[in-house]
C-alpha cells in the first residue's frame, strides 16, 4: 500500500513542523505567563539562589546537586513573569525537540505527533505548580540521550565507553532521571541498532549505577539514589503524570522502532480511511492549517482540563498576603474555591489590616474552634510555608522572638529567601543587634534581584542603627513584649491563644491587633464569657460605635445569660441590632430541632451574623456542613 | 611587518607597566610626605595588637577606612616585607610570602602599615599595627560543628562536623547529617588533641549512638542502659584512651519571649564512665546523685581527677535559680576507685553557674565558663570565660571576654592557644576566636579565625559550635561514620555494672517533670 510520504521521504506529519510548533509554544507561553503566572511560585516559595561561591559549592557535594543549583538559578526568573514563562516554555520546547530528535533517530524518520506529548504532560504538571527541578532534570536526561543516540561511533566498545562517561556525568548532574537515559540508550542499542550486548549492558549498568554510588557514598536511603528528582510518588501516592511522562519515552521509542509493523496492523483495521484523512491534512494550505489547529486543540484540551483553579487561587492568596495587598487578598479569599485553615487565617489577617475585622469577620468563611489565628498546630508543619505565615503574624503582633524563631525555621527549610532575610534583619534591629542585621543583609545582597534593597537597608542602618524613623519598626517596637514569658513547647505551645494575646496587651494595651485577635479568638471558640470579660477594653480603641460583630455578641450574651445590658453599652450599639436579633430568633425558633431547615431559613438573611455562626459553628459563606469541601 | 608588531607589543607592555606602577600605591616620595593619621586604621577582622601563631593562614582583612586606593605593607625583622596595593579595600595576602615571613620571624613583632588615598588624591598613613608572632605553633586543624541558628529542621542544608586547616583555608566536611538521613550530630571529642581518636554523639532515626573512632575503625556504641535509658551527651576521654566519661542529660528546649530566645532545661543529669575494653558502664553516687544534676565532665590532663559541674535539681519554673558548682573528684584509673569530691567554685560564692571545665595540658590551669544561670552557656549572653590557677585555686575572669556570650573553649595540645566561640560580633552568630595563652597565665587579645575572603563573615549566617583544636586532619570518612550509624557491622551495647551503682532515682518531685503550661505571668 502506498504511504503518505513526500518525495524527500518525510511523512505528512513532519510537513511544516515549525508551522505547527510555533502556535503551540506561543500559546503555551501566553498560558504560562498570564494564567499560571510564575510570580506565584516565586513569591510563595522563592528558591534560594546566591551569587556566591560557597552557595555554589553547597550543591556540588551530592548527586543531583548541580541540577538543583541550575533550577534555583532559573527559578529566579519567575520574579518577572514574562521571563519565567520564557524559561518554562524554553524547557517545554527543548523537551519537544529532544524527543523529536531521539525518536526520529530511533525510527529512521521523523516521528509525527509524538514529540508534542512531553510538552503536554509537562504543562499538565506545571498546572500543579510543580517545581522546575524535576522537569529540568528530565530535560537533561533527554539531552544526554540525544548525544548518545546521535553519537557517530559504531564500535560497541567505544559506544560503551561513551555510555559510561555520559552516565557518570549525567547521574552526578541530575540523579534519578539518569534511569530514563539508560533505558532509552538500552532500547536504542537493543532494538534499533541491534547491538544486543551493548543494549543489555546499558540496562544493567543503568540499574546498578545508583546502587553502586549509594554504596560508595554510603547514604542510607537507597531509593533516594534511584528516584531523586523523579517525583513518581507524591504526597497522595503515585504521581500519575510523572509516571506517564517517564513511561512515555520508552513506550514511544519502542513504538517508533516497530512503527512499520504497527502501521500495517493499523491499516488492516482502519482500511483506507486513515490514509485518505492523512493525505488530506498534508495536502494544501487548508489541510495544513487544520492540522496545526488540531494540534493546538490536542495540546490545549488536556492542559485546560487539568488546570487546578483551587491551587492557583490558594497560591495567589498567599502571594497577595506576602505582598500585604489586603484588599486584593480579601477579594481572592472570597473567590477561592477551597476553604482551608490557611485561607481563613488569611482572611482574619487581611480584615485586621483593613480595619474591618470586628465588622466583617463573619461575612467570610469561618469555622468554630479552628486553630486559625496562629496556625500553631504541629501537624501544619508539614506545609513548609506555615513557618513564614507564623513569622508574619507574630511580627505584626510585636512578638519578635517568636517571629524570629519561625523565620529561622523557614530559612532552614526553604533556604535564603529574600523576604525571610529582610524579616530577620528587621528583627535583629528590633532586638538591638544591628550587626546581625547587616549579616542578613549581606546575604540578601548576594541575591539576584534584591541587591539594591539590601544596600538601601544597609545605608539606612549606617545612618541610624535602630531605624528609629522607620514606621514599621516603630510600630512593632511599640508592641514588643517587656515581660519574659517562658514557653515550653515551640513556638508558643505552653500558652493558649488568649494568653498570648493578653501578654501582648500587657505590654501595650493599645495593641489593637492583639485586642481584635483576642476578641476574634473568643468569638471563634464561642467563649462569650471571655468575650464579655475583655469587652470593657473596647473603649481603649477609637471605634465609631460598637463594631457590628461585637454588638451581635453582646446582644447574644445578654440573651443567653439573662442579663440586662448596662446603658453605657447599649448606647454604643446600633439600634437596629436589637430588632434584628429578635427577627433571627423568630426565624430560628420553629426550626431549633432541625438544623438543616434552620440553616436554610437563616442563611440568606443572617449568614454573615455572629448569631448564625454561634448557632451553626460556621458562617453562611462556609456553606452547610453537608457541602463541605475543605482541605487543610 | 614583524618589527611593527614587536613595537606594538613593547608599547603596550610599557603602558601596562606604567599603569600598574601608577595604580600600585603611593610613590616613594609620596609615602615620605603623606599625612599621618594619629590612630590605628580600622580593620575587619580586628587584627591589631594580637599574638598570632607562626603557622596561621594569612590574616586577610578589609580596610574599613574611606579611600579610593589602599596600600598595605607587612613586615618583620627578617625577610622581605609584603606589599599589597590596589583599589580594593580587601587585602588578600599572598600565602607563600606570608608563610615565609612568619616562619622566619617567630617570636618577633609583625608590623602592618596601612595607607589610604582620599578622594582628593592625597595619601594618609595610619599608625603602624604591631602584632606578635608567637613561638608556639597552633595545632594545625580545628574541628567544629556548623549549624544554622534554628530550633529544628536542621537537616535541610545540613548540620555537619567540619575540619578546617588553620595553616591555609581548606575546610572539609567530616560528617554531615545527610549521611544518616537527617538528625543531630554533636559533641565531637578527641583524646589529647589527637585526630585519630574521637567520639561523636548522634541522634537520628537510626538510634542515638556514640560513635567511637580509634585506629581508623568506627564503633557504634549504644550507651543506653539500665542505669539511664537515655543516650550520652558531653563527653571526655581519659588520657589512658581506655575510658570515656559522658553525661546523660534529659534536656528540653525552652523559649523566652524577651531577650535571647532559646534556653535549655536539664531535668536530670548524671555522669557515667565507659570502659572501652571491658565494654562496661559504671558510675558512683558522687557523680550521679539522684537529687542533683551532674554534667560537663572533663578529665584532668593526668587522668587523676574528673572535673564536672553539679547543681541541685529544681523545677523548670525555677530555671533561673539553677546554678552549677564547679567540682572535681579524684579517680584512680588503675583500680577504678573514686575519692571525695571537692568544690572548686561554689555557685553560692560566685553567684554564677559553672560549665565546661577544661584543664590545660600542663595541669596548671583550669578554663571554664560562668553564666548567670543554667547549664547551656551558648544561650547565655552573660557567659564569660574564667581561669583558675590550680596551684592557688584562685580564679579570675579573663580579659579576652566580650559583653556577649563567650564559650565552648578548648586548649591546643601544648596549652599555648585557646580556641573559643564568641557572639561578640553581632550577638547572634557564634564565630571562632583564638587567643595566645602565655606561660604566666595571660590570655592575649583574641583574633577571629581568618578566612580567604575577609568579607566572609559579613554574610555568614551559620553558627560555629564546639571548636576543638587537633594536631592533624581527621581521616575517618563520612561514609564510614554514616555506615556505622545506619547499618553498623556491630552494635556494641554497653553492659552496665551496677556494683557501685547509686540509688535508684527517687520519683521526680512535683514540678520536675515536663512542665505544665504556664499559668502565671512572666519571670
Amino acid at each position: 500500500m502506498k504511504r503518505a510520504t513526500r518525495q524527500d521521504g518525510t511523512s505528512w506529519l513532519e510537513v511544516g513542523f515549525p508551522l505547527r510548533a510555533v502556535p503551540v509554544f506561543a500559546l503555551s507561553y501566553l498560558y504560562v505567563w498570564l494564567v499560571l503566572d510564575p510570580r506565584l511560585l516565586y513569591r510563595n516559595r522563592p528558591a534560594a539562589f546566591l551569587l556566591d561561591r560557597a552557595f555554589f559549592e553547597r550543591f556540588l557535594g551530592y548527586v543531583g546537586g548541580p541540577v538543583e543549583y541550575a533550577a534555583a538559578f532559573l527559578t529566579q526568573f519567575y520574579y518577572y513573569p514574562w521571563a519565567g514563562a520564557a524559561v518554562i516554555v524554553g524547557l517545554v520546547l527543548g523537551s519537544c525537540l529532544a524527543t523529536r530528535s531521539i525518536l526520529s533517530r530511533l525510527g529512521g524518520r521523523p516521528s509525527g505527533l509524538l514529540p508534542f506529548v512531553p510538552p503536554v504532560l509537562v504543562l499538565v504538571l506545571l498546572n500543579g505548580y510543580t517545581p522546575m527541578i524535576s522537569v529540568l532534570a528530565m530535560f537533561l536526561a533527554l539531552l544526554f540521550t540525544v548525544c548518545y543516540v546521535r553519537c557517530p561511533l559504531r564500535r560497541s566498545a567505544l559506544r560503551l565507553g561513551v555510555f559510561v562517561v555520559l552516565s557518570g556525568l549525567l547521574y552526578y548532574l541530575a540523579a534519578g532521571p539518569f534511569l530514563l537515559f539508560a533505558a532509552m540508550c538500552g532500547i536504542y542499542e537493543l532494538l534499533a541498532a541491534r547491538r544486543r550486548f551493548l543494549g543489555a549492558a546499558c540496562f544493567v549498568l543503568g540499574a546498578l549505577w545508583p546502587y553502586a554510588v549509594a554504596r560508595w557514598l554510603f547514604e542510607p536511603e537507597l531509593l533516594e539514589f534511584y528516584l531523586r528528582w523523579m517525583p513518581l510518588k507524591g504526597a497522595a501516592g503515585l504521581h500519575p503524570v510523572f509516571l506517564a511522562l517517564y513511561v512515555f519515552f520508552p513506550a514511544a521509542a519502542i513504538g517508533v522502532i516497530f512503527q512499520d509493523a504497527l502501521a500495517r496492523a493499523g491499516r488492516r483495521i482502519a482500511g483506507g480511511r486513515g490514509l485518505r484523512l492523512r493525505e488530506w491534512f498534508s495536502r494544501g494550505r487548508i489541510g495544513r492549517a487544520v492540522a496545526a489547529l488540531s494540534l493546538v486543540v490536542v495540546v490545549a484540551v488536556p492542559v485546560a482540563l487539568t488546570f487546578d483553579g483551587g491551587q492557583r487561587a490558594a497560591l495567589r492568596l498567599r502571594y497577595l498576603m506576602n505582598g500585604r495587598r489586603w484588599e486584593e487578598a480579601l477579594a481572592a479569599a472570597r473567590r477561592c474555591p477551597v476553604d482551608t485553615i490557611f485561607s481563613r487565617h488569611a482572611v482574619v489577617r487581611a480584615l485586621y489590616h483593613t480595619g474591618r475585622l470586628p465588622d466583617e469577620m463573619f461575612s467570610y468563611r469561618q469555622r468554630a474552634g479552628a486553630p486559625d489565628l496562629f496556625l500553631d498546630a504541629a501537624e501544619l508543619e508539614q506545609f513548609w510555608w506555615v513557618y513564614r505565615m507564623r513569622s508574619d503574624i507574630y511580627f505584626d503582633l510585636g512578638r519578635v522572638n517568636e517571629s524570629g524563631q519561625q523565620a529561622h525555621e523557614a530559612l532552614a527549610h526553604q533556604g535564603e529567601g529574600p523576604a525571610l532575610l529582610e524579616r530577620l534583619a528587621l528583627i535583629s534591629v528590633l532586638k538591638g543587634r544591628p550587626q546581625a542585621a547587616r549579616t542578613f543583609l549581606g546575604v540578601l545582597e548576594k541575591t539576584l534581584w534584591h541587591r539594591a534593597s539590601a544596600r538601601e537597608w544597609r545605608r539606612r542602618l549606617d545612618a541610624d542603627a535602630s531605624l528609629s524613623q522607620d514606621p514599621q519598626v516603630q510600630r512593632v517596637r511599640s508592641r514588643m513584649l517587656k515581660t519574659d514569658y517562658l514557653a515550653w513547647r515551640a513556638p508558643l505551645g505552653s500558652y493558649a491563644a488568649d494568653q498570648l494575646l493578653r501578654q501582648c496587651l500587657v505590654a501595650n494595651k493599645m495593641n489593637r491587633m492583639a485586642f481584635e485577635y483576642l476578641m476574634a479568638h473568643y468569638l471563634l471558640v464561642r467563649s462569650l464569657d471571655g468575650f464579655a470579660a475583655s469587652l470593657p477594653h473596647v473603649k481603649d480603641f477609637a471605634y465609631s460605635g460598637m463594631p457590628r460583630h461585637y454588638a451581635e455578641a453582646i446582644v447574644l450574651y445578654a440573651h443567653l445569660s439573662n442579663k440586662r445590658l448596662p446603658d453605657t453599652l447599649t448606647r454604643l450599639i446600633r439600634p437596629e441590632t436589637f430588632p434584628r436579633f429578635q427577627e433571627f430568633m423568630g426565624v430560628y425558633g420553629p426550626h431549633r430541632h432541625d438544623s438543616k431547615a434552620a440553616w436554610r431559613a437563616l442563611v440568606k438573611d443572617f449568614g454573615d451574623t455572629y448569631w448564625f455562626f454561634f448557632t451553626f459553628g460556621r458562617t453562611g459563606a462556609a456553606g452547610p456542613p453537608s457541602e463541605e469541601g475543605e482541605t487543610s | 611587518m614583524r618589527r611593527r608588531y614587536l613595537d606594538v607589543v613593547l608599547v603596550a607592555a610599557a603602558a601596562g607597566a606604567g599603569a600598574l606602577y601608577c595604580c600600585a600605591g603611593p610613590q616613594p616620595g609620596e609615602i615620605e610626605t603623606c599625612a599621618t593619621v594619629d590612630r590605628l586604621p580600622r580593620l575587619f577582622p580586628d587584627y591589631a595588637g594580637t599574638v598570632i601563631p607562626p603557622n596561621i593562614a594569612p590574616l586577610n582583612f578589609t580596610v574599613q577606612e574611606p579611600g579610593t586606593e589602599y596600600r598595605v605593607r607587612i613586615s618583620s625583622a627578617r625577610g622581605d616585607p609584603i606589599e599589597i596595593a590596589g583599589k580594593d579595600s580587601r587585602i588578600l595576602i599572598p600565602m607563600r610570602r606570608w608563610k615565609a615571613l612568619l616562619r622566619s620571624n617567630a617570636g618577633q613583632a609583625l608590623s602592618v602599615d596601612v595607607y589610604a588615598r582620599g578622594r582628593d588624591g592625597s595619601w594618609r598613613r595610619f599608625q603602624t599595627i604591631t602584632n606578635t608572632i608567637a613561638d608556639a605553633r597552633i595545632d594545625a586543624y580545628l574541628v567544629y560543628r556548623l549549624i544554622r541558628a534554628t530550633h529544628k529542621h536542621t537537616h535541610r542544608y545540613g548540620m555537619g562536623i567540619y575540619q578546617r586547616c588553620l595553616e591555609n583555608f581548606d575546610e572539609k566536611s567530616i560528617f554531615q547529617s545527610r549521611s544518616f538521613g537527617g538528625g543531630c550530630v554533636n559533641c565531637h571529642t578527641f583524646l589529647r588533641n589527637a585526630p585519630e581518636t574521637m567520639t561523636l554523639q548522634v541522634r537520628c532515626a537510626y538510634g542515638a549512638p556514640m560513635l567511637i573512632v580509634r585506629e581508623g575503625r568506627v564503633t557504634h556504641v549504644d550507651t543506653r542502659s539500665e542505669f539511664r535509658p537515655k543516650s550520652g551527651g558531653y563527653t571526655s576521654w581519659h588520657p589512658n584512651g581506655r575510658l570515656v566519661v559522658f553525661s546523660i542529660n534529659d534536656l528540653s528546649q525552652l523559649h523566652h519571649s524577651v531577650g535571647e530566645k532559646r534556653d535549655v532545661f536539664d531535668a536530670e543529669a548524671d555522669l557515667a564512665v565507659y570502659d572501652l575494653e571491658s565494654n562496661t558502664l559504671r558510675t558512683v553516687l558522687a557523680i550521679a546523685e539522684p537529687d542533683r544534676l551532674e554534667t560537663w565532665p572533663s578529665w584532668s590532663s593526668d587522668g587523676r581527677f574528673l572535673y564536672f559541674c553539679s547543681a541541685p535539681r529544681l523545677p523548670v519554673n525555677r530555671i533561673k535559680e539553677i546554678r552549677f558548682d564547679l567540682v572535681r573528684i579524684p579517680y584512680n584509673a588503675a583500680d577504678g576507685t573514686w575519692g571525695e569530691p571537692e568544690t572548686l567554685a561554689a555557685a553560692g560564692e560566685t553567684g554564677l553557674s559553672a560549665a565546661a571545665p577544661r584543664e590545660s595540658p600542663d595541669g596548671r590551669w583550669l578554663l571554664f565558663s560562668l553564666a548567670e544561670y543554667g547549664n547551656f552557656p551558648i544561650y547565655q549572653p552573660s557567659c564569660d570565660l574564667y581561669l583558675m590557677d590550680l596551684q592557688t585555686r584562685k580564679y579570675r575572669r579573663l580579659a579576652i571576654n566580650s559583653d556577649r556570650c563567650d564559650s565552648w573553649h578548648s586548649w591546643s595540645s601544648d596549652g599555648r592557644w585557646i580556641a573559643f566561640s564568641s557572639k561578640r560580633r553581632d550577638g547572634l552568630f557564634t564565630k571562632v576566636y583564638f587567643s595566645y595563652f602565655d606561660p604566666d597565665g595571660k590570655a592575649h587579645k583574641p583574633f577571629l579565625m581568618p578566612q580567604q575572603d575577609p568579607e566572609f563573615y559579613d554574610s555568614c549566617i551559620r553558627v560555629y559550635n564546639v571548636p576543638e583544636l587537633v594536631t592533624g586532619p581527621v581521616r575517618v570518612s563520612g561514609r564510614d561514620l554514616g555506615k556505622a550509624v545506619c547499618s553498623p557491622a556491630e552494635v556494641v551495647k554497653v553492659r552496665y555494672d551496677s556494683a557501685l551503682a547509686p540509688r535508684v532515682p527517687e520519683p521526680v518531685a512535683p514540678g520536675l517533670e515536663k512542665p505544665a503550661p504556664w499559668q502565671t505571668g512572666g519571670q
Side-chain angles (χ1 to χ4, degrees):
Chain A
M1 190 176 281
K2 183 184 161 192
R3 266 187 64 83
T5 55
R6 291 179 1 142
Q7 293 287 316
D8 59 3
T10 54
S11 94
W12 68 275
L13 285 165
E14 281 305 304
V15 176
F17 176 83
L19 180 74
R20 280 174 290 125
V22 166
V24 167
F25 291 106
L27 287 173
S28 298
Y29 177 76
L30 293 174
Y31 175 75
V32 174
W33 177 15
L34 301 174
V35 180
L36 291 182
D37 193 351
R39 268 180 318 183
L40 299 186
L41 265 180
Y42 181 82
R43 293 285 187 185
N44 282 291
R45 187 174 194 176
F49 183 83
L50 304 178
L51 287 166
D52 179 33
R53 201 181 81 175
F55 181 81
F56 174 63
E57 287 172 354
R58 190 192 292 173
F59 293 88
L60 300 182
Y62 58 97
V63 291
V67 83
E68 190 175 13
Y69 178 82
F73 171 70
L74 291 174
T75 305
Q76 301 306 304
F77 292 93
Y78 288 8
Y79 186 74
Y80 300 104
W82 58 268
V87 168
I88 290 171
V89 174
L91 271 181
V92 172
L93 175 63
S95 60
C96 174
L97 294 175
T99 309
R100 181 169 176 261
S101 174
I102 295 165
L103 295 184
S104 62
R105 177 74 176 160
L106 262 62
R109 51 183 173 267
S111 44
L113 274 176
L114 287 176
F116 291 94
V117 175
V120 171
L121 292 173
V122 170
L123 285 171
V124 168
L125 279 174
L126 291 170
N127 271 340
Y129 290 89
T130 305
M132 171 191 282
I133 186 164
S134 306
V135 178
L136 186 63
M138 184 200 73
F139 173 63
L140 212 55
L142 291 178
L143 276 187
F144 272 65
T145 309
V146 170
C147 291
Y148 183 81
V149 299
R150 298 261 167 199
C151 174
L153 298 174
R154 293 184 171 277
R155 289 181 56 191
S156 291
L158 292 176
R159 291 192 70 82
L160 184 62
V162 171
F163 176 78
V164 169
V165 170
L166 290 180
S167 293
L169 187 58
L170 176 64
Y171 186 65
Y172 170 62
L173 293 175
F178 152 79
L179 294 176
L180 173 65
F181 163 78
M184 296 297 282
C185 294
I187 290 169
Y188 170 73
E189 295 294 2
L190 207 60
L191 302 178
R194 306 277 175 185
R195 289 185 277 254
R196 290 195 172 84
F197 168 76
L198 189 53
C202 290
F203 280 113
V204 172
L205 288 176
L208 290 181
W209 192 270
Y211 179 81
V213 174
R215 292 296 98 189
W216 178 53
L217 292 176
F218 197 81
E219 287 190 26
E221 286 143 10
L222 181 62
L223 202 60
E224 169 78 359
F225 276 76
Y226 280 92
L227 297 181
R228 188 176 293 166
W229 311 141
M230 274 175 79
L232 301 181
K233 196 165 179 293
L238 279 177
H239 200 309
V241 185
F242 259 113
L243 208 56
L245 195 57
Y246 277 100
V247 168
F248 162 78
F249 292 104
I254 293 168
V256 297
I257 290 168
F258 297 110
Q259 62 184 303
D260 286 342
L262 291 172
R264 280 196 297 276
R267 279 197 292 275
R268 271 202 302 278
I269 296 165
R273 288 191 303 278
L275 189 61
R276 282 195 293 276
L277 191 63
R278 276 181 287 174
E279 281 176 346
W280 183 82
F281 273 133
S282 61
R283 204 185 302 137
R285 287 182 183 167
I286 296 175
R288 288 180 196 169
V290 171
L293 193 62
S294 310
L295 187 61
V296 170
V297 172
V298 165
V299 172
V301 166
V303 174
L305 287 178
T306 54
F307 175 67
D308 186 347
Q311 183 160 9
R312 188 188 185 283
L315 280 174
R316 181 164 166 74
L317 181 57
R318 284 213 305 276
Y319 165 70
L320 295 168
M321 295 293 291
N322 289 347
R324 302 178 79 85
R325 290 157 64 176
W326 310 119
E327 290 291 356
E328 290 169 84
L330 285 171
R334 216 179 259 290
R335 285 196 303 271
C336 186
V338 287
D339 177 17
T340 67
I341 191 168
F342 299 110
S343 63
R344 295 194 293 275
H345 169 89
V347 161
V348 173
R349 188 158 170 246
L351 280 172
Y352 161 72
H353 282 286
T354 53
R356 289 146 50 192
L357 184 60
D359 292 297
E360 295 183 28
M361 181 177 172
F362 296 101
S363 304
Y364 293 82
R365 298 184 187 112
Q366 297 295 347
R367 290 155 192 253
D372 301 353
L373 294 184
F374 292 108
L375 301 173
D376 56 350
E379 58 268 25
L380 293 178
E381 290 174 7
Q382 64 179 297
F383 303 103
W384 52 266
W385 62 83
V386 78
Y387 296 107
R388 164 78 196 277
M389 294 173 98
R390 285 176 182 170
S391 176
D392 289 344
I393 203 81
Y394 297 139
F395 188 76
D396 287 347
L397 278 168
R399 301 194 70 118
V400 293
N401 263 16
E402 291 79 6
S403 177
Q405 177 193 345
Q406 295 300 313
H408 274 295
E409 299 305 337
L411 196 75
H413 203 69
Q414 73 178 68
E416 295 90 340
L420 291 173
L421 292 167
E422 245 178 64
R423 163 67 44 79
L424 286 164
L426 276 183
I427 287 172
S428 299
V429 170
L430 286 161
K431 294 187 73 171
R433 296 168 175 165
Q435 186 55 47
R438 286 192 184 91
T439 307
F440 287 116
L441 294 174
V443 184
L444 188 65
E445 208 169 327
K446 291 182 172 179
T447 59
L448 229 47
W449 313 124
H450 298 82
R451 319 182 98 193
S453 165
R455 285 182 187 142
E456 172 59 17
W457 277 112
R458 277 192 171 204
R459 192 192 57 73
R460 292 174 60 190
L461 266 177
D462 290 342
D464 173 12
S466 62
L467 296 179
S468 56
Q469 301 304 311
D470 184 275
Q472 187 186 14
V473 170
Q474 274 180 341
R475 188 180 62 248
V476 178
R477 188 171 278 140
S478 73
R479 293 174 176 181
M480 282 170 63
L481 301 193
K482 296 167 186 72
T483 309
D484 186 12
Y485 302 96
L486 197 60
W488 159 251
R489 184 167 56 83
L492 301 161
S494 305
Y495 301 105
D498 59 333
Q499 284 178 295
L500 299 176
L501 294 162
R502 284 174 181 276
Q503 290 165 3
C504 296
L505 288 161
V506 167
N508 180 354
K509 68 173 191 170
M510 302 304 287
N511 186 339
R512 185 183 178 119
M513 182 176 181
F515 178 73
E516 292 192 357
Y517 264 62
L518 181 67
M519 300 304 259
H521 166 77
Y522 286 133
L523 295 179
L524 281 172
V525 300
R526 295 184 283 189
S527 168
L528 289 179
D529 289 333
F531 170 81
S534 305
L535 194 62
H537 294 286
V538 81
K539 66 176 176 1
D540 293 337
F541 305 94
Y543 292 112
S544 56
M546 185 63 73
R548 181 186 160 204
H549 293 315
Y550 296 177
E552 290 168 351
I554 292 167
V555 174
L556 181 63
Y557 176 68
H559 170 78
L560 293 176
S561 59
N562 283 322
K563 285 182 181 164
R564 188 176 163 274
L565 293 173
D567 290 344
T568 50
L569 210 56
T570 314
R571 272 204 303 276
L572 295 171
I573 297 173
R574 273 172 285 196
E576 63 268 25
T577 308
F578 298 99
R580 201 160 145 67
F581 179 66
Q582 293 307 321
E583 189 185 345
F584 175 87
M585 293 303 292
V587 177
Y588 177 64
H591 303 293
R592 67 174 64 241
H593 299 300
D594 181 353
S595 63
K596 282 186 181 172
W599 178 286
R600 282 195 298 272
L602 290 165
V603 69
K604 184 162 178 282
D605 293 331
F606 297 96
D608 61 349
T609 64
Y610 183 61
W611 310 315
F612 186 91
F613 176 84
F614 190 88
T615 306
F616 297 102
R618 52 205 294 135
T619 57
S626 57
E627 293 173 16
E628 281 186 35
E630 74 262 45
T631 58
S632 50
Chain B
M1 192 69 172
R2 188 175 291 175
R3 174 67 188 269
R4 206 166 69 193
Y5 279 128
L6 189 63
D7 289 346
V8 171
V9 169
L10 285 174
V11 169
L20 275 174
Y21 183 70
C22 293
C23 295
Q27 307 309 310
E30 286 181 290
I31 288 180
E32 287 156 17
T33 58
C34 71
T36 305
V37 182
D38 195 21
R39 63 172 171 83
L40 293 173
R42 283 172 296 213
L43 309 182
F44 180 79
D46 176 11
Y47 293 141
T50 185
V51 182
I52 62 172
N55 59 330
I56 194 74
L59 299 182
N60 295 337
F61 59 86
T62 307
V63 182
Q64 296 189 318
E65 298 288 350
T68 55
E69 280 182 56
Y70 300 91
R71 183 180 178 220
V72 170
R73 186 171 189 274
I74 304 168
S75 59
S76 189
R78 287 186 286 273
D80 294 335
I82 301 169
E83 301 204 1
I84 302 156
K87 297 190 174 187
D88 194 344
S89 62
R90 290 181 305 167
I91 305 302
L92 307 179
I93 305 166
M95 175 83 75
R96 196 175 298 172
R97 295 181 62 199
W98 167 265
K99 292 211 161 221
L101 191 66
L102 262 57
R103 200 168 39 238
S104 53
N105 287 285
Q108 304 285 331
L110 182 79
S111 302
V112 182
D113 290 300
V114 176
Y115 302 80
R117 186 176 210 162
R119 292 191 185 282
D120 59 357
S122 65
W123 284 90
R124 291 180 301 153
R125 176 185 177 169
F126 295 88
Q127 278 183 355
T128 299
I129 292 169
T130 306
N131 292 318
T132 304
I133 307 167
D135 281 323
R137 295 165 65 87
I138 195 167
D139 292 337
Y141 282 79
L142 186 78
V143 178
Y144 43 82
R145 182 171 74 158
L146 269 181
I147 186 174
R148 285 177 182 271
T150 54
H151 302 243
K152 46 187 176 176
H153 283 303
T154 44
H155 61 280
R156 177 65 181 93
Y157 289 111
M159 145 193 313
I161 308 290
Y162 292 80
Q163 59 182 327
R164 160 75 192 272
C165 178
L166 297 175
E167 298 180 343
N168 53 46
F169 299 108
D170 290 348
E171 183 188 68
K172 282 183 187 158
S173 157
I174 295 174
F175 195 33
Q176 301 234 18
S177 51
R178 193 173 57 229
S179 299
F180 49 88
C184 185
V185 54
N186 52 30
C187 297
H188 45 280
T189 310
F190 298 90
L191 169 61
R192 289 186 301 220
N193 305 79
E196 298 83 15
T197 311
M198 71 183 282
T199 62
L200 273 175
Q201 303 284 356
V202 177
R203 287 191 292 274
C204 65
Y206 295 89
M210 173 197 283
L211 300 183
I212 295 182
V213 182
R214 284 203 302 178
E215 294 160 4
R217 284 188 58 234
V218 187
T219 312
H220 176 129
V221 181
D222 185 352
T223 55
R224 292 169 295 188
S225 68
E226 310 92 270
F227 171 55
R228 294 283 181 274
K230 292 219 162 220
S231 57
Y234 309 117
T235 310
S236 176
W237 281 93
H238 190 277
N240 67 12
R242 205 190 77 197
L243 302 175
V244 168
V245 63
F246 58 86
S247 63
I248 305 166
N249 309 77
D250 183 6
L251 300 174
S252 312
Q253 213 171 46
L254 302 175
H255 306 269
H256 294 278
S257 56
V258 172
E260 170 65 48
K261 168 72 179 149
R262 292 166 291 180
D263 207 340
V264 172
F265 174 70
D266 204 343
E268 192 176 325
D270 291 310
L271 305 181
V273 178
Y274 175 54
D275 185 331
L276 276 72
E277 287 180 7
S278 64
N279 186 35
T280 311
L281 190 72
R282 294 191 183 93
T283 189
V284 288
L285 186 62
I287 58 170
E289 286 193 54
D291 56 351
R292 289 189 72 84
L293 306 167
E294 293 91 1
T295 187
W296 290 106
S298 177
W299 292 107
S300 62
S301 52
D302 58 9
R304 289 173 49 237
F305 291 97
L306 175 68
Y307 295 94
F308 62 99
C309 299
S310 171
R313 292 171 77 199
L314 293 176
V316 67
N317 55 0
R318 293 176 63 190
I319 184 173
K320 291 192 177 177
E321 297 169 34
I322 300 175
R323 293 192 176 86
F324 284 79
D325 300 328
L326 180 61
V327 182
R328 78 173 180 181
I329 181 170
Y331 180 70
N332 185 342
D335 57 10
T337 55
W338 299 86
E340 284 299 313
E342 57 178 324
T343 302
L344 300 175
E349 290 171 18
T350 62
L352 297 166
S353 184
R358 303 287 293 263
E359 196 187 87
S360 61
D362 62 5
R364 167 81 191 273
W365 310 98
L366 184 70
L367 193 58
F368 60 102
S369 64
L370 287 178
E372 198 181 323
Y373 68 91
N375 75 333
F376 216 76
I378 199 75
Y379 293 154
Q380 298 279 327
S382 61
C383 183
D384 283 327
L385 299 178
Y386 283 73
L387 185 76
M388 177 179 282
D389 183 340
L390 288 169
Q391 289 177 352
T392 62
R393 300 285 176 86
K394 289 187 175 163
Y395 60 90
R396 59 189 157 88
R397 181 180 177 272
L398 287 176
I400 59 174
N401 286 294
S402 67
D403 56 353
R404 286 168 166 156
C405 175
D406 298 284
S407 62
W408 286 127
H409 42 278
S410 73
W411 293 96
S412 64
S413 57
D414 63 358
R416 291 280 74 84
W417 296 95
I418 300 168
F420 64 98
S421 286
S422 177
K423 295 185 181 179
R424 63 186 61 200
R425 184 165 188 235
D426 54 32
L428 182 59
F429 303 111
T430 48
K431 302 287 180 266
V432 180
Y433 288 78
F434 302 103
S435 168
Y436 177 67
F437 187 80
D438 68 26
D440 299 328
K442 182 186 175 191
H444 291 253
K445 180 181 173 182
F447 64 93
L448 183 59
M449 182 164 71
Q451 300 288 348
Q452 188 154 30
D453 179 0
E455 292 181 351
F456 170 85
Y457 293 111
D458 289 345
S459 57
C460 175
I461 55 174
R462 289 196 180 200
V463 168
Y464 288 74
N465 275 178
V466 202
E468 291 283 331
L469 286 161
V470 284
T471 52
V474 175
R475 299 204 185 274
V476 66
S477 69
R479 175 185 180 278
D480 289 344
L481 291 166
K483 195 172 175 184
V485 174
C486 306
S487 58
E490 182 193 8
V491 172
V492 177
K493 178 82 180 160
V494 297
R495 191 171 55 80
Y496 175 53
D497 178 358
S498 58
L500 303 169
R503 288 173 286 139
V504 174
E506 289 165 7
V508 178
L512 280 175
E513 65 273 4
K514 306 288 187 197
W518 284 89
Q519 300 299 324
T520 55
Q523 299 183 352

